[in-house]
Amino acid sequence: GAGVSQSPSNKVTEKGKDVELRCDPISGHTALYWYRQSLGQGLEFLIYFQGNSAPDKSGLPSDRFSAERTGGSVSTLTIQRTQQEDSAVYLCASSYSNTEAFFGQGTRLTVV
Amino acid sequence: KNQVEQSPQSLIILEGKNCTLQCNYTVSPFSNLRWYKQDTGRGPVSLTIMTFSENTKSNGRYTATLDADTKQSSLHITASQLSDSASYICVVSDLGGGADGLTFGKGTHLIIQP
């Protein structure tokens, strides 16, 4: 594709529900990053995929958060039993071999 | 572990004033440093890239500096405009596709007031 695509762009969900956020990276990009962003916290690292290596999950805040990357391309971030503090913008970025990061538009998640 | 620290976390200035945003990093070996601008509701886009041999680079009213010895970069905005209100993110790349990947700062949230 022309750029990194994230869906949905906005998601409102009830507390306790599960949500799935999707990221389509630029074709051929081996690295994929998930970050979340809130006004008070700035950009917070969640998870990093690089090729076929085991992902760096060190930023996932709890076991309610998980992510997978199928076939080295599309990635899905899943949040189970959402809480109000999960409300944030979730950004995905991809890159080829640690060159420039290309960001998606983000998914704004609101938990009510 | 590679780290990128940005300061201040947030900044409010009056339209027309200048400001400087800071980025300090511990990434090694260093390849390049990029500043991104993220407008409200949009994804970050690259403003400028600094490589090891570059000290200063300008892009309109934006001037980025790099001191590779002290591992510091700054982004100076001259004669700020309302459209400069955004988050500014510093991202550092190491050489050779290291296992840590790109290292992202938390960003500086800049608000320009009329």
Side-chain angles (χ1 to χ4, degrees):
Chain A
V4 178
S5 177
Q6 290 188 244
S7 61
S9 55
N10 281 285
K11 176 72 176 178
V12 179
T13 189
E14 291 181 352
K15 177 181 174 181
K17 300 286 189 183
D18 298 351
V19 295
E20 282 191 354
L21 313 181
R22 178 185 169 104
C23 174
D24 282 272
I26 293 173
S27 178
H29 279 194
T30 54
L32 187 148
Y33 306 79
W34 281 100
Y35 278 78
R36 73 177 176 182
Q37 188 178 39
S38 56
L39 195 58
Q41 301 296 324
L43 206 60
E44 295 179 87
F45 169 73
L46 295 176
I47 189 168
Y48 161 55
F49 295 90
Q50 175 61 276
N52 295 321
S53 302
D56 177 357
K57 303 179 180 181
S58 61
L60 295 178
S62 77
D63 59 8
R64 296 186 295 105
F65 287 72
S66 63
E68 62 178 22
R69 189 179 184 190
T70 53
S73 180
V74 172
S75 178
T76 302
L77 177 69
T78 301
I79 308 173
Q80 296 179 312
R81 305 180 303 281
T82 52
Q83 303 295 314
Q84 287 187 329
E85 61 262 29
D86 299 335
S87 296
V89 174
Y90 288 80
L91 280 173
C92 174
S94 72
S95 73
Y96 177 74
S97 189
N98 287 359
T99 56
E100 180 180 1
F102 292 83
F103 288 85
Q105 300 284 351
T107 293
R108 179 173 294 279
L109 175 66
T110 304
V111 182
V112 297
Chain B
K1 187 172 173 68
N2 291 334
Q3 288 189 320
V4 173
E5 300 286 341
Q6 290 189 245
S7 62
Q9 181 178 1
S10 62
L11 181 63
I12 302 173
I13 64 172
L14 293 175
E15 186 180 9
K17 298 295 186 182
N18 304 336
C19 66
T20 300
L21 314 181
Q22 297 289 344
C23 174
N24 298 342
Y25 60 93
T26 62
V27 176
S28 181
F30 174 83
S31 175
N32 64 71
L33 180 150
R34 286 182 186 269
W35 283 95
Y36 288 78
K37 181 186 180 190
Q38 181 185 16
D39 293 318
T40 301
R42 311 291 290 271
V45 293
S46 180
L47 268 179
T48 186
I49 178 173
M50 304 294 290
T51 59
F52 187 85
S53 59
E54 296 174 306
N55 299 120
T56 303
K57 183 180 286 186
S58 291
N59 178 0
R61 294 179 297 101
Y62 297 94
T63 299
T65 67
L66 176 68
D67 185 333
D69 291 330
T70 61
K71 299 186 177 181
Q72 297 180 327
S73 176
S74 66
L75 182 68
H76 185 76
I77 304 174
T78 304
S80 61
Q81 300 178 359
L82 297 179
S83 60
D84 295 329
S85 294
S87 288
Y88 292 84
I89 299 166
C90 176
V91 181
V92 182
S93 174
D94 65 8
L95 285 171
D100 286 347
L102 298 168
T103 308
F104 297 69
K106 287 184 174 289
T108 292
H109 186 61
L110 176 64
I111 298 173
I112 310 297
Q113 288 186 335

